[in-house]
Amino acid sequence: MSKIIAIANQKGGVGKTTTSVNLAASLAILEQKVLLVDADPQGNATTGVGYDLKELDGTIYECLVDGLDPDKAILKTEVENMDLLPSNINLVGAELEMLNFDDKERVMGKVLSGIRDRYDYVLIDCSPSLGLLTVNSLAAADSVIIPVQCQYFALEGLGKLLNTVKIIQKRLNTSLEIEGFVLTMYDGRVRLSNQVVAEVRKHFEDMVFKTLIQQNVKLAEAPSYGQPVVLYDAGCRGAENYLSLANEVLEKNKKK
């Protein structure tokens, strides 16, 4: 059975897109069929797997607003088993246009309903806000992964996000679960990093993934080459971290 996981945090710069792209690629390397949905108008997940935003014929925007068949927008990636539903700046207008739709919070769910069963995992890279696009993504998802950076103010804004998740669980998607919190940008040499890890684990206990995503030069470089880190440098620490996270996700879902 396929699973839709939204990757969300309205705070920018927490490693949300990095996690979306590299977790998707790592799951694909582990022989899962994966669709990465770029639901962020910045289109960073789309460029992060090698596509030029100006050369896209169809995107998630046309699927949400014009009813385009997602099959006409889905693209192959360099990673075997991994497809992309791309995005570009047009998506900025989607929230306004969707305001007039009946059932405006469930448009993403309808777009994905016809294609989800072809994949083991559908990962949605949410936009860095708690607007209608993120609400749509959470309403469509089975679970949500929340990246938290190991830096000052790491927990800032998490209350707001968790409150949004609660509202969606109550009103739109009673089966939405928190898949887990993933700690990103970890540097073991820095006391603050270790304090953040301890604090997040104290707050959220078993909901925090064991894998820490460490700060890594190759991980930072890979998007500028349009590749997930596992293609850019499979032996680097960033690639190892995301493969470890993918294994945790698979292990967790095996138990269910």
Side-chain angles (χ1 to χ4, degrees), residues 5-24:
I5 303 176
I7 296 166
N9 192 329
Q10 80 278 18
K11 201 166 179 289
V14 299
K16 180 182 58 63
T17 299
T18 300
T19 295
S20 301
V21 168
N22 291 297
L23 178 57

Side-chain angles (χ1 to χ4, degrees), residues 109-204:
K110 286 173 188 161
V111 168
L112 297 179
S113 64
I115 54 170
R116 65 173 292 171
D117 288 336
R118 287 187 238 152
Y119 298 94
D120 299 302
Y121 289 90
V122 176
L123 267 53
I124 307 174
D125 184 27
C126 295
S127 65
S129 75
L130 292 178
L132 190 54
L133 280 171
T134 298
V135 168
N136 258 269
S137 299
L138 293 171
D142 299 303
S143 67
V144 55
I145 287 177
I146 301 167
V148 180
Q149 86 282 34
C150 295
Q151 290 171 3
Y152 200 55
F153 294 137
L155 297 178
E156 192 188 55
L158 270 190
K160 213 181 270 184
L161 175 61
L162 293 172
N163 197 39
T164 301
V165 169
K166 269 190 197 140
I167 292 166
I168 284 163
Q169 284 168 329
K170 208 187 214 163
R171 298 186 191 165
L172 291 170
N173 183 358
T174 50
S175 58
L176 179 67
E177 295 177 343
I178 293 178
E179 188 80 20
F181 294 82
V182 59
L183 289 152
T184 62
M185 304 177 195
Y186 173 73
D187 185 344
R189 299 163 303 178
V190 177
R191 187 194 294 171
L192 179 64
S193 261
N194 292 302
Q195 285 172 341
V196 171
V197 170
E199 199 177 343
V200 173
R201 287 193 168 145
K202 190 175 91 181
H203 265 74
F204 300 110

